Amino acid sequence: MLVPTTCFNCESACGLLAYVDRDDLHVRKFEGNPEHPGSRGRNCAKGPATINQITDPDRILYPMHRVGERGSGQWERVSWDQALDAIAARMRAAIMEQRQNEIMVHIGRPGEDGFTERVMASWGVDGHNSHTNVCSSAGRAGYQFWMGADRPSPDHANAKVIYLISSHLETGHYFNPHAQRITEARANGAKLIVLDTRLSNTATHADYWLSPQPGSESAINLAVCQHIISTGRYNREFVRKWWNWQEYLEANHPEAPVTFEAFEDALRTIYAEFTFEYAAQESGIDAATLAEMAEVVADAGTRFSSHSWRSAAAANLGGWQITRTLILISALLGAIGTEGGLFPNAWNKFVPKPIHTPPHPGVWQELTWPMEFPLAQNELSFLLPQFLKEGRGRLDTYFIRVYNPVWTNPDGLSWMDVLSDEEKVGCFVALTPTWNESAFLADYVLPMGHGSERHDTHSYEQYDGQWLGFRQPVLRAARERLGETITDSRQVNPGEVWEENEWWIELSWRIDPDGSLGIRQYHESRAHPGEKLSVDEYYGWMFENSVPGLPERAEKEGLTPLQFMRRYGAFEISKGVGPMYEVQVPDEELRDLNVTPQGRVYTSTDKPPASNMAPVGAPEPDGQGRRPVGIDVDGVVRRGFPTPSGKLEFWSGTLAGWGWPEQAIPGYIKSHVHPDQLAPDQMVLLSTFRLPTQIHTRTGNAKWLDELAHTNPVWIHPSDAARLKVEHTGDLVRVQTDIGYFVAKAWITEGIRPGVVACSHHMGRWRTARQPGEGLGGMVATVDLDKHEDEWMMRRIKGARPYESSDPDTMRIWWSDVGVHQNLTFPVHPDPISGMHCWHQAVRVVSAKPGDRAGDIAVDSVKSRKVYEEWMANTRPAGQVSPNGLRRPTWLMRPLKPSPDTFVIHDT
Ligand SMILES: Nc1nc2c(c(=O)[nH]1)N[C@H]1C(S)=C(S)[C@@H](COP(=O)(O)OP(=O)(O)OC[C@H]3O[C@@H](n4cnc5c(=O)[nH]c(N)nc54)[C@H](O)[C@@H]3O)O[C@H]1N2
Ligand SMILES: Nc1nc2c(c(=O)[nH]1)N[C@H]1C(S)=C(S)[C@@H](COP(=O)(O)OP(=O)(O)OC[C@H]3O[C@@H](n4cnc5c(=O)[nH]c(N)nc54)[C@H](O)[C@@H]3O)O[C@H]1N2
Ligand code: SF4
Ligand SMILES: [Mo]
């Protein structure tokens, strides 16, 4: 039997087809699902490797409860009922005692659209924490300030020029769906430009590979823009109609007439300093190459696509401006919403309205949305340990879901400190299919299913169209086809492995068994009031009522919408969405209008009900409560963009009004690792790149992938190696950060810019000898971890090694080196605007000292605290800069948006 589901090994959510053996009802393999509009039957290596994960002999099969001290490695098996009752009772008490802010659910990559957020809303808790500020907040900020959507949807397949500040042919955000479209475009003659300090696999395919000094990308982007402006090749009509140039002039040139010509005059001078020579000086790439590349870009017209997500944006102070200057190129060319251009993600995404929509919570969580960062794109998740240490709050119940904070974040040892401390974190619950560095410290470890064992829906912007994907427990669907009735995913999953959605419903029910807290209603069946909602009803209702075209399509095949999705796994809602900003607002929405001098149109008509819940900016109503409905362009009211002005915001009134007027237009912020900031013996450590066959700590238990890649040497240029007396590849080096050091093998290669060293993410997994599963898996070293006062020391005792298990392949592990966990040696670097952790480190690289072993780590927590304080001193807190007495601009997105009264700053 072929049963579709969705890969959960990265956020691309490609379609998979499980091959289920009819004789014994086991999954034999996974291949691509040709019915999936995003991935179109193709996968990367990590998709089919899902089979390794579900058959992993070391996976957790039963709920576990800690018996000894936290982290002591002593566990007992408990029943789901015991775990649920104990956790629900504490949460019920916290909610009844108005301690809502002591409940937090910390989510890594969500892999779904909105289910978990709604669960927290149903509890009335502002407890959503995400990993996004260590992932992509800087990239998102650049998009959001321009267009009110925080992600790009580039139409690579139809582009003439593709400009990547990422490595999308091998990894990256929506990697496989984008890589296949970039490949198509190249077959049709498109030119590929890649800005990557390191020779990635993607760079090897580029027509122009530029290896810039990290953080100089804005200077390059602006030189390209300056070239387009000075040669008059910008799309004049587009700029005139769709940029908020009037606001720019009014705020910055009050003396000038508010005419487009006056703006063009200004535009010609704003970026005049960004000559190719200046960009060359900043980036280290010669001016002639930059000029040649800029000419290719200027020629692309409206077929210019690009991508910036992590990479330079996530790595450098002010990295969000790298995205902002990149979009400036598209905005100058008018390549927004065009074939081969760039779309705001919300147009190419469809999030169906669910059966119940609880209101947003009435509390504000200061631990995730502190006053210092009014413009942060997402939760200041990576500062949580420092905040708890300085007494800003405590947590009663803390969940992690697809999240390994000790490993994933900078300064993981501070995470160990607070997660080990029951005063700071009362009960720590890890939802995970496998052990990880954080789960070792938990009170409960609860086994959740992999991509073929759980339900989710998701819709991701991967081309100019909208699709909805359905992840499902494949054995459930298979056995239902054979006539069985399955009401709980545990009936088909291995051991007592559950799935999160059923678990959240059950937990919520037990928090409020009689419905008196108002929580239960959001987890109740509509068909059978008083009974618990089932996942069949949840998704059945959604597919029947909220997905345009799906019921009709299903009916053609004689299926219910739910049966259709269980059979096909995905549905394409629309294709060729086009430039939504140009759509004319219908007359019936245009009544009692207020039109501002800049053309912003407000109406007093009600908003028509929308079935698409894809998150976008929420511009504020006018003084009389009329809602913004569009923008008057040459006498026609069009939808425009979900920004305050309704236009593309070249000048951001939000940045200007909230304390950062000098950053209101796209500009160049010099990185914290700019050469001016480095001591003569310091280099830049580039710690942000991915290995094609690994996903963070998630694929560490997939044997095919582990064999392909299991270590992370330090890339070092031959000229640097000679200077530092590193003679051979494989020699050990010490990399010293501001708070400690790590020891790793060197890899001498010309694939990295001189003056920069690089070490990949994913590797250096570890456990101590007392943790469960010691010696198991092909990716995990056994270490000693000691703390003396403020100083931590980690030493590798053993690497990976063969071992007996139910799988004979575990005896065939031939490698022992599993790399180094560099993140432990990084202090936190919060960007004062986006809130992004700026990943790059200024380091000193030296030959290893006698006694050093690969994988060794030393960290001084006092120093890490000091660096935290230094970066916090650069913030401009809401209490000082807010123009309206609120904590945060209300139009900016926030995963859970608490009620308006919580935005008000109260004097303390
Ligand atoms: N195989 C695999 N694919 C993945 C993931 C994974 O773990 N494994 N993770 C997924 C996730 S969660 C995310 S957020 C995306 C991220 O995907 P991307 O946005 O592509 O981000 P990165 O992998 O951080 O960096 C991309 C490239 O930027 C280069 N780079 C780093 N710093 C700089 C710099 O300062 N300047 C320049 N010019 N280049 C620099 C790196 O060498 C790297 O090749 O990938 C997703 N895809
Ligand atoms: N040095 C460095 N550090 C980085 C990065 C970098 O480029 N360089 N990238 C950052 C980025 S972009 C990201 S997104 C983060 C990612 O880091 P995290 O958000 O922590 O994500 P993962 O490591 O993929 O998953 C965490 C854990 O989730 C559990 N898990 C796996 N599958 C499932 C499942 O199906 N259900 C549940 N409930 N749990 C599951 C596993 O225990 C796994 O260890 O790392 C960040 N850290
Ligand atoms: S790109 Fe690879 S890992 Fe990501 S969803 Fe697709 S198949 Fe899975
Ligand atoms: Mo990420």
Side-chain angles (χ1 to χ4, degrees):
M1 259 182 289
L2 304 188
V3 187
T5 186
T6 306
C7 181
F8 199 12
N9 277 333
C10 87
E11 215 62 0
S12 301
C14 300
L16 288 177
L17 266 188
Y19 284 59
V20 179
D21 192 325
R22 279 179 178 275
D23 294 337
D24 63 4
L25 288 174
H26 274 73
V27 181
R28 294 284 174 232
K29 65 169 177 176
F30 292 94
E31 291 197 355
N33 177 7
E35 296 290 337
H36 194 289
S39 57
R40 305 181 293 188
R42 302 171 211 179
N43 294 111
C44 78
K46 301 181 291 303
T50 303
I51 192 75
N52 297 162
Q53 294 168 306
I54 63 171
T55 57
D56 165 18
D58 309 325
R59 66 183 293 189
I60 304 164
L61 293 174
Y62 304 97
M64 308 291 277
H65 180 234
R66 158 177 80 90
V67 280
E69 293 217 327
R70 278 214 184 138
S72 66
Q74 292 156 273
W75 299 88
E76 67 180 1
R77 192 174 145 184
V78 289
S79 69
W80 277 109
D81 277 333
Q82 286 169 309
L84 278 159
D85 285 337
I87 298 164
R90 324 177 50 103
M91 291 175 66
R92 180 180 169 81
I95 291 168
M96 290 182 68
E97 292 160 19
Q98 309 290 316
R99 292 183 287 114
Q100 279 84 351
N101 280 343
E102 295 188 9
I103 297 172
M104 185 179 286
V105 182
H106 208 151
I107 295 173
R109 269 133 337 105
E112 57 102 3
D113 281 317
F115 190 103
T116 324
E117 285 161 29
R118 274 189 299 272
V119 171
M120 282 172 258
S122 80
W123 301 339
V125 161
D126 186 25
H128 184 272
N129 202 348
S130 73
H131 72 304
T132 311
N133 268 331
V134 298
C135 170
S136 46
S137 295
R140 290 170 192 255
Y143 290 105
Q144 165 133 259
F145 289 134
W146 260 112
M147 52 170 117
D150 68 349
R151 294 174 176 226
S153 175
D155 182 19
H156 289 314
N158 297 304
K160 197 169 150 194
V161 175
I162 300 170
Y163 189 105
L164 300 179
I165 311 186
S166 69
S167 46
H168 269 77
L169 288 181
E170 74 214 72
T171 63
H173 178 235
Y174 305 150
F175 141 63
N176 161 48
H178 277 173
Q180 50 181 271
R181 289 173 172 88
I182 294 171
T183 302
E184 270 172 32
R186 293 188 69 233
N188 292 328
K191 289 269 184 284
L192 179 63
I193 298 166
V194 174
L195 272 64
D196 196 323
T197 307
R198 181 186 66 96
L199 181 63
S200 62
N201 297 350
T202 308
T204 66
H205 287 69
D207 297 284
Y208 291 89
W209 168 41
L210 309 184
S211 169
Q213 180 67 29
S216 64
E217 293 73 11
S218 288
I220 298 177
N221 294 342
L222 290 175
V224 172
C225 293
Q226 171 59 17
H227 179 66
I228 294 172
I229 295 166
S230 64
T231 57
R233 250 124 24 111
Y234 57 97
N235 187 328
R236 231 178 144 230
E237 269 306 273
F238 182 85
V239 175
R240 182 182 70 77
K241 286 182 177 169
W242 290 110
W243 289 27
N244 68 337
W245 52 265
Q246 296 93 332
E247 290 187 344
Y248 168 78
L249 283 180
E250 282 158 12
N252 298 277
H253 298 277
E255 74 298 341
V258 186
T259 63
F260 185 59
E261 290 68 25
F263 176 68
E264 286 183 292
D265 282 343
L267 191 60
R268 275 189 287 272
T269 56
I270 297 172
Y271 296 114
E273 67 183 285
F274 288 92
T275 58
F276 293 124
E277 289 68 31
Y278 177 74
Q281 171 202 320
E282 289 299 293
S283 67
I285 296 163
D286 66 86
T289 307
L290 293 175
E292 189 184 321
M293 181 275 279
E295 193 48 34
V296 171
V297 173
D299 252 5
T302 57
R303 290 185 184 269
F304 175 77
S305 73
S306 64
H307 211 130
S308 164
W309 192 240
R310 282 180 54 72
S311 183
N316 295 287
L317 173 69
W320 59 276
Q321 280 280 28
I322 295 172
T323 309
R324 198 146 150 72
T325 54
L326 177 63
I327 306 168
L328 179 60
I329 304 177
S330 304
L332 281 165
L333 295 173
I336 306 265
T338 52
E339 207 174 32
L342 179 77
F343 292 67
N345 79 315
W347 304 349
N348 291 337
K349 179 177 174 87
F350 194 95
V351 181
K353 195 171 157 32
I355 185 165
H356 298 300
T357 338
H360 286 288
V363 284
W364 184 286
Q365 174 58 277
E366 299 254 1
L367 289 171
T368 44
W369 299 94
M371 293 281 276
E372 287 93 337
F373 298 89
L375 301 177
Q377 292 295 298
N378 287 86
E379 300 87 351
L380 266 299
S381 56
F382 62 101
L383 301 183
L384 184 65
Q386 300 292 355
F387 288 168
L388 290 174
K389 282 185 183 190
E390 61 191 23
R392 293 194 187 201
R394 79 175 285 276
L395 295 173
D396 177 274
T397 311
Y398 175 67
F399 296 90
I400 55 170
R401 167 207 178 270
V402 203
Y403 196 50
N404 184 3
V406 169
W407 199 89
T408 289
N409 286 294
D411 197 14
L413 294 167
S414 289
W415 281 87
M416 289 205 69
D417 264 343
V418 299
L419 292 176
S420 313
D421 183 345
E422 288 175 55
E423 292 291 307
K424 297 192 169 63
V425 180
C427 177
F428 172 21
V429 184
L431 308 177
T432 174
T434 50
W435 287 100
N436 67 38
E437 289 76 358
S438 310
F440 294 139
L441 299 172
D443 299 310
Y444 288 94
V445 173
L446 304 178
M448 294 292 152
H450 286 292
S452 59
E453 299 167 342
R454 50 180 291 144
H455 289 95
D456 293 298
T457 50
H458 32 252
S459 170
Y460 301 134
E461 54 285 354
Q462 297 175 343
Y463 61 97
D464 182 20
Q466 295 169 312
W467 55 263
L468 181 72
F470 188 41
R471 186 177 285 130
Q472 62 175 342
V474 294
L475 294 178
R476 178 172 177 148
R479 282 165 57 174
E480 280 172 357
R481 277 192 213 166
L482 296 176
E484 268 185 77
T485 304
I486 315 276
T487 51
D488 184 319
S489 298
R490 284 173 294 182
Q491 290 166 254
V492 300
N493 281 346
E496 289 181 7
V497 171
W498 208 350
E499 68 154 39
E500 280 148 34
N501 294 354
E502 286 173 348
W503 141 269
W504 290 128
I505 293 170
E506 184 64 46
L507 178 69
S508 305
W509 197 269
R510 294 191 196 206
I511 297 171
D512 184 20
D514 58 8
S516 58
L517 296 181
I519 296 172
R520 204 185 87 162
Q521 55 179 318
Y522 301 115
H523 304 278
E524 237 174 84
S525 164
R526 276 211 192 160
H528 307 282
E531 286 179 26
K532 236 172 284 168
L533 185 64
S534 69
V535 285
D536 271 348
E537 185 179 345
Y538 178 85
Y539 291 108
W541 189 95
M542 176 189 280
F543 297 154
E544 258 166 60
N545 296 285
S546 310
V547 186
L550 174 56
E552 296 76 15
R553 173 72 203 280
E555 203 185 340
K556 269 196 204 139
E557 307 216 5
L559 300 170
T560 66
L562 178 61
Q563 285 168 338
F564 179 93
M565 291 301 273
R566 289 214 185 277
R567 179 65 79 163
Y568 289 97
F571 177 68
E572 188 172 58
I573 296 157
S574 66
K575 212 180 185 151
V577 175
M580 300 273 285
Y581 60 91
E582 284 191 337
V583 171
Q584 239 177 287
V585 178
D587 285 345
E588 57 269 24
E589 282 191 57
L590 298 176
R591 271 206 315 273
D592 180 26
L593 300 181
N594 166 17
V595 184
T596 68
Q598 294 85 5
R600 192 58 162 136
V601 181
Y602 296 88
T603 178
S604 55
T605 60
D606 288 337
K607 204 171 181 176
S611 54
N612 188 355
M613 317 268 286
V616 284
E620 286 150 41
D622 72 0
Q624 284 82 46
R626 296 187 194 85
R627 71 180 167 95
V629 70
I631 178 87
D632 184 327
V633 180
D634 298 340
V636 180
V637 183
R638 301 188 186 272
R639 282 280 178 230
F641 293 86
T643 55
S645 67
K647 294 193 176 179
L648 287 174
E649 300 212 329
F650 168 71
W651 176 78
S652 167
T654 308
L655 283 159
W658 287 74
W660 296 93
E662 73 276 28
Q663 299 300 342
I665 63 167
Y668 174 36
I669 299 178
K670 288 190 178 167
S671 172
H672 64 298
V673 292
H674 187 277
D676 295 350
Q677 303 291 326
L678 300 179
D681 60 342
Q682 279 187 319
M683 302 174 78
V684 180
L685 170 65
L686 186 157
S687 60
T688 47
F689 67 94
R690 279 139 178 69
L691 299 169
T693 54
Q694 288 288 325
I695 288 280
H696 308 296
T697 64
R698 177 181 296 206
T699 31
N701 286 52
K703 65 182 180 184
W704 298 339
L705 304 178
D706 298 353
E707 183 173 29
L708 287 167
H710 42 255
T711 185
N712 57 347
V714 173
W715 298 39
I716 183 164
H717 192 269
S719 60
D720 289 317
R723 179 173 54 85
L724 298 167
K725 307 211 168 16
V726 178
E727 286 179 12
H728 305 290
T729 284
D731 286 357
L732 292 185
V733 289
R734 253 195 200 201
V735 180
Q736 295 170 342
T737 66
D738 284 341
I739 65 167
Y741 68 81
F742 65 86
V743 178
K745 288 183 181 163
W747 183 37
I748 303 173
T749 168
E750 291 185 338
I752 188 76
R753 188 179 176 77
V756 181
V757 287
C759 184
S760 92
H761 184 36
H762 304 138
M763 299 303 164
R765 306 292 312 278
W766 52 269
R767 46 164 55 104
T768 63
R770 31 181 214 182
Q771 307 302 359
E774 196 274 310
L776 308 183
M779 295 289 278
V780 188
T782 306
V783 300
D784 262 344
L785 179 60
D786 290 316
K787 189 180 184 194
H788 292 292
E789 309 214 324
D790 299 307
E791 300 200 359
W792 292 86
M793 182 78 210
M794 182 185 280
R795 306 225 65 192
R796 187 190 294 174
I797 319 172
K798 287 183 202 149
R801 51 205 183 272
Y803 63 97
E804 300 267 6
S805 78
S806 55
D807 178 355
D809 277 348
T810 62
M811 282 303 290
R812 301 188 177 107
I813 293 174
W814 50 262
W815 61 92
S816 62
D817 182 15
V818 291
V820 64
H821 182 196
Q822 57 179 334
N823 287 5
L824 291 179
T825 67
F826 299 171
V828 294
H829 293 159
D831 183 278
I833 295 179
S834 68
M836 179 81 212
H837 168 61
C838 307
W839 276 98
H840 284 345
Q841 308 287 324
V843 296
R844 290 183 173 82
V845 181
V846 297
S847 290
K849 311 267 172 191
D852 277 358
R853 282 185 228 162
D856 284 356
I857 277 158
V859 175
D860 181 337
S861 326
V862 174
K863 289 186 180 158
S864 85
R865 174 96 204 151
K866 203 172 138 266
V867 179
Y868 157 76
E869 284 163 358
E870 283 164 16
W871 281 69
M872 291 298 279
N874 296 328
T875 59
R876 299 183 186 168
Q880 292 161 25
V881 300
S882 174
N884 55 7
L886 302 184
R887 295 165 187 270
R888 175 180 176 79
T890 52
W891 80 274
L892 288 180
M893 285 186 252
R894 192 182 186 288
L896 284 177
K897 208 169 208 172
S899 50
D901 54 302
T902 64
F903 276 71
V904 178
I905 301 172
H906 297 287
D907 293 333
T908 47

